Amino acid sequence: MPIVTVTSTLPSPPAAFTGRDGELGALSEALDPSTHGSPDAILITAVGGLGGVGKTALALQAAHATRARFPGGALFINMRGYDRAPVAPEEAVLSFLRAFGVRGEDAPIAPEDRYSLYRSLLDSRASMLIFLDNVSEAAQVVPLLPGSTRHRVPVTSDCRAADSPWALWPSSVGRISTLVCAAVAFS
């Protein structure tokens, strides 16, 4: 039986974060688990923009600013979506299971069973923040979505890429894109 140990796997907040008060406020508000959208949809809050403009710094700042709103804890993973070897969701879920105290030998072998265990562990907890950094495609996100609408999923992505899940978002060189919140309906 897994021992639930996670409180937060968030990296430290940026030491020298300045400006972007408007974006920080909007993101913090969007992450609020007491804000309910559709009762049958998971709220994904995404920050897109060119590489190096501060997407992760902004989202981490917001995550730390809102951390107290997530008594169930916070999970973080860099999906390395634009590296030569991006993190597959099958690897990411193992990282999350370890954060929950599931030892490697106790993790299910089949990816679908890993996702089921992950969602069961999430379902047994109060609101959690599940931060997916540097995502390059929707296929990296969908398997890691919780089965409950009380959790929040901030995602960062380089929206320049034509195959990016966020390619339709407006962006401008050197700036962070308009903050977009998307509700993903359960299927």
Side-chain angles (χ1 to χ4, degrees):
M1 179 52 99
I3 301 169
V4 180
T5 60
V6 69
T7 55
S8 178
T9 62
L10 289 174
S12 298
F17 184 85
T18 60
R20 304 214 188 271
D21 293 336
E23 293 92 345
L24 183 58
L27 182 53
S28 296
E29 184 179 326
L31 291 176
D32 188 345
S34 67
T35 304
H36 298 289
S38 172
D40 60 350
I42 299 167
L43 184 69
I44 299 172
T45 307
V47 179
L50 299 176
V53 298
K55 299 176 299 291
T56 299
L58 171 66
L60 272 175
Q61 191 71 23
H64 281 281
T66 60
R67 178 61 187 87
R69 298 177 189 169
F70 298 96
L75 296 170
F76 174 93
I77 190 157
N78 182 347
M79 298 299 288
R80 303 186 190 287
Y82 301 96
D83 290 1
R84 288 181 185 215
V87 174
E90 297 83 14
E91 297 171 73
V93 75
L94 281 175
S95 176
F96 289 163
L97 289 174
R98 282 191 298 273
F100 280 120
V102 177
R103 295 178 309 209
E105 62 270 13
D106 295 333
I109 294 172
E112 292 76 22
D113 294 336
R114 290 177 188 163
Y115 299 130
S116 292
L117 177 57
Y118 162 69
R119 287 189 187 95
S120 294
L121 291 168
L122 284 174
D123 194 49
S124 69
R125 298 181 72 89
S127 297
M128 287 194 72
L129 190 69
I130 304 154
F131 190 136
L132 305 176
D133 191 31
N134 291 316
V135 169
S136 63
E137 60 183 10
Q140 286 184 295
V141 175
V142 173
L144 300 173
L145 293 176
S148 170
T149 61
R150 74 178 167 276
H151 305 298
R152 292 294 183 259
V153 184
V155 174
T156 65
S157 180
D158 181 344
C159 65
R160 286 181 305 170
D163 61 345
S164 169
W166 331 119
L168 298 178
W169 292 1
S171 64
S172 57
V173 176
R175 296 198 34 186
I176 293 177
S177 293
T178 305
L179 184 68
V180 175
C181 299
V184 176
F186 290 120
S187 53

